[in-house]
Amino acid sequence: MTTISPTRVSMYDFLYHDTKPMLSLLADASQLSLPQARLAMDASLQAILSALLAYQQQHQGQVLSKRLFGRAAVKELRQYNSMNFATMKATLYHRHDAADAVFSDNARVIKASDHIAEKIGATTQQVQILLTSLCVIVLRELAILAEYSQLDNDERNKWFAMQPQFLSAARFSTDEVQAVPAETENIDNEPDTLTERSDNSVDSAAELTLLNTEQLSSTPPPFDTYWYELTGFKPENYEPVQDMQLATGNYLKAIGRSPDNLQQGRHNDMLVFTEMHAVVLPHQRWLLQLAKISDIYLSRNRLRVNSEPANPPKPPLVSLGLIGGNQDNTPTTTSEKPIEYEKSTPLWKNPVILIIILVIGVLGALAALKYQSQKSDGLILATEEVLEQDAIEERQQQDVAIVMVDDEDSDTAVVAE
């Protein structure tokens, strides 16, 4: 079986790794040093994610999808496939609108900027530029991930409900001792400690202390619960996710967790979640699909600074062999086969639809014939009435002739009918 880290469905972990290549652009836009920008990005991601969790807790997935993921700013940003000055220009243009929508109040944006600025030794205006710019990028990236994974509103609600366990202190207390190896296996071009230290040269020893092993490792820094207080998110309202479906043998076979499915195909690459301290995930198809697409998306490193490609990259494709059971035709490269879904019955093969169309057609034809028949009968009757009226008038008409005679012949006028 092929194992995948549970953090592949963690929004915090996904955004932390996904936005790493944007560090230099955001630092330049906000006029911050690279160490300051790195710390500001980490804190900003925590604030934005907490605000999104609070928004979803209040409005649920359907409203979140329409009002946040479906915003015009997100649609415009999705036209770009690399980060460059053109992409940043569009990001800066929409940043205020996106931030106000995520935090539901501009006062919260300012308060969050003040809190971060105080920690990194920068101005509120500098941090606010970085924070609001990240709001647009975060909405764009989560919208793309949700669409590529084809999550419906109920699945999006469940996805959001899983996030607090990835932010818990218990999870990070273990990660600080031993990082998850799966985090570094599938991310290309990940800079190591020495490389990033050489690239991110600083002017003083004070700035150098801002960088520590947490910022340079593959594990994001521990989550600050202060953001829950600022955004009004209540993690206790979320019930823990239980993996109750694993108790049935049929479900184990359906997702490939049964030993009976281990050697059926040419490849033993069934996808399952690995164990992780303080994190419990159900092994459901949509969640495994989300995890694999997230893994592929991160491996592409799409937010690196680069010119816009001539042809946009294709959406990640996941083989059903990874999720739903090994078959003899399992592809050698498991990410090359598109997701397959049960095809709906064509309309011309559906007997109910055909009967309805036939009845409507027959009734329409009968109505048309009746209308034409009534129209013809009415025209004939009208013609007959006109002819009969003309005949009556003709019979009643009298011919009158007036003859004038000379007074000598007669003193009267003769009238002949």
Side-chain angles (χ1 to χ4, degrees):
M1 290 185 180
T2 300
T3 59
I4 191 166
S5 171
T7 57
R8 283 296 180 256
V9 296
S10 166
M11 294 182 186
Y12 182 40
D13 292 73
F14 171 79
L15 293 171
Y16 174 79
H17 293 292
D18 188 44
T19 57
K20 269 187 176 182
M22 294 182 56
L23 176 62
S24 59
L25 284 176
L26 289 174
D28 181 71
S30 57
Q31 298 299 308
L32 293 170
S33 66
L34 292 177
Q36 286 177 316
R38 177 68 266 173
L39 293 178
M41 284 180 64
D42 295 342
S44 297
L45 287 176
Q46 294 181 11
I48 295 170
L49 181 57
S50 180
L52 285 175
L53 292 175
Y55 192 99
Q56 187 273 341
Q57 192 174 65
Q58 181 179 359
H59 300 289
Q60 297 301 304
Q62 183 175 3
V63 177
L64 183 140
S65 299
K66 291 182 178 180
R67 296 184 182 178
L68 295 185
F69 292 170
R71 298 187 75 83
V74 176
K75 294 179 180 179
E76 181 176 342
L77 262 293
R78 291 188 61 174
Q79 298 176 4
Y80 300 92
N81 297 282
S82 292
M83 292 304 301
N84 46 52
F85 289 115
T87 314
M88 282 303 302
K89 183 178 180 181
T91 302
L92 293 172
Y93 178 80
H94 292 289
R95 63 188 181 91
H96 289 296
D97 175 67
D100 291 344
V102 171
F103 286 90
S104 303
D105 186 4
N106 185 55
R108 288 180 178 174
V109 178
I110 298 176
K111 191 173 182 179
S113 301
D114 288 338
H115 183 77
I116 299 173
E118 184 180 354
K119 284 191 170 184
I120 68 173
T123 65
T124 301
Q125 180 63 24
Q126 288 175 311
V127 174
Q128 189 173 357
I129 294 174
L130 187 144
L131 173 64
T132 53
S133 300
L134 267 182
C135 281
V136 187
I137 301 300
V138 166
L139 290 181
R140 172 188 183 267
E141 294 303 285
L142 292 182
I144 292 175
L145 185 59
E147 180 182 327
Y148 285 173
S149 304
Q150 301 190 15
L151 305 183
D152 57 29
N153 292 323
D154 181 62
E155 290 166 347
R156 293 185 186 188
N157 287 329
K158 294 179 180 178
W159 184 30
F160 273 82
M162 297 174 186
Q163 300 311 310
Q165 60 184 330
F166 292 104
L167 310 178
S168 64
R171 176 245 166 138
F172 289 103
S173 64
T174 302
D175 285 346
E176 288 177 359
V177 178
Q178 181 178 3
V180 180
E183 292 296 320
T184 58
E185 289 179 356
N186 298 311
I187 301 180
D188 298 334
N189 303 322
E190 187 79 18
D192 56 13
T193 302
L194 296 177
T195 303
E196 190 161 342
R197 284 189 183 275
S198 61
D199 293 340
N200 299 343
S201 59
V202 293
D203 298 332
S204 64
E207 286 189 346
L208 183 59
T209 58
L210 293 175
L211 283 176
N212 51 47
T213 56
E214 290 176 352
Q215 276 66 50
L216 300 177
S217 67
S218 61
T219 304
F223 188 84
D224 186 359
T225 55
Y226 165 80
W227 302 116
Y228 288 165
E229 301 175 8
L230 178 66
T231 59
F233 175 68
K234 297 179 174 56
E236 62 271 12
N237 290 354
Y238 276 137
E239 296 181 0
V241 179
Q242 300 294 334
D243 200 2
M244 299 301 295
Q245 290 177 305
L246 291 178
T248 61
N250 290 333
Y251 187 75
L252 290 174
K253 292 182 179 180
I255 66 172
R257 292 287 297 269
S258 170
D260 297 337
N261 287 354
L262 290 181
Q263 304 297 333
Q264 287 183 359
R266 292 179 298 162
H267 310 283
N268 183 22
D269 52 9
M270 186 58 56
L271 188 67
V272 295
F273 287 118
T274 56
E275 297 295 331
M276 185 174 179
H277 176 69
V279 173
V280 178
L281 295 179
H283 290 74
Q284 295 180 357
R285 290 174 181 265
W286 68 270
L287 195 59
L288 289 167
Q289 178 174 298
L290 172 65
K292 185 57 181 177
I293 289 179
S294 172
D295 189 68
I296 298 173
Y297 193 87
L298 287 175
S299 68
R300 292 181 176 182
N301 201 21
R302 288 183 59 181
L303 294 188
R304 65 183 180 274
V305 180
N306 198 1
S307 59
E308 188 68 17
N311 298 316
K314 296 181 180 180
L317 301 177
V318 178
S319 170
L320 283 181
L322 283 171
I323 303 173
N326 278 329
Q327 304 295 333
D328 291 337
N329 58 353
T330 304
T332 304
T333 304
T334 57
S335 62
E336 296 297 327
K337 185 179 178 181
I339 302 171
E340 298 177 358
Y341 298 93
E342 183 179 355
K343 296 182 179 180
S344 58
T345 305
L347 292 178
W348 58 274
K349 287 186 177 181
N350 193 321
V352 177
I353 300 298
L354 292 177
I355 292 175
I356 293 175
I357 294 175
L358 180 62
V359 171
I360 293 175
V362 171
L363 293 177
L366 292 176
L369 290 174
K370 184 177 181 180
Y371 173 76
Q372 293 294 335
S373 176
Q374 291 177 349
K375 185 176 179 181
S376 301
D377 294 342
L379 182 61
I380 294 173
L381 291 175
T383 305
E384 291 178 352
E385 289 179 359
V386 171
L387 293 176
E388 184 177 354
Q389 186 67 24
D390 291 344
I392 293 174
E393 291 179 357
E394 184 177 358
R395 286 196 300 271
Q396 292 178 349
Q397 185 177 3
Q398 295 179 349
D399 295 333
V400 180
I402 302 174
V403 180
M404 301 298 294
V405 296
D406 193 5
D407 292 340
E408 297 177 358
D409 297 335
S410 175
D411 295 334
T412 62
V414 180
V415 178
E417 294 183 1

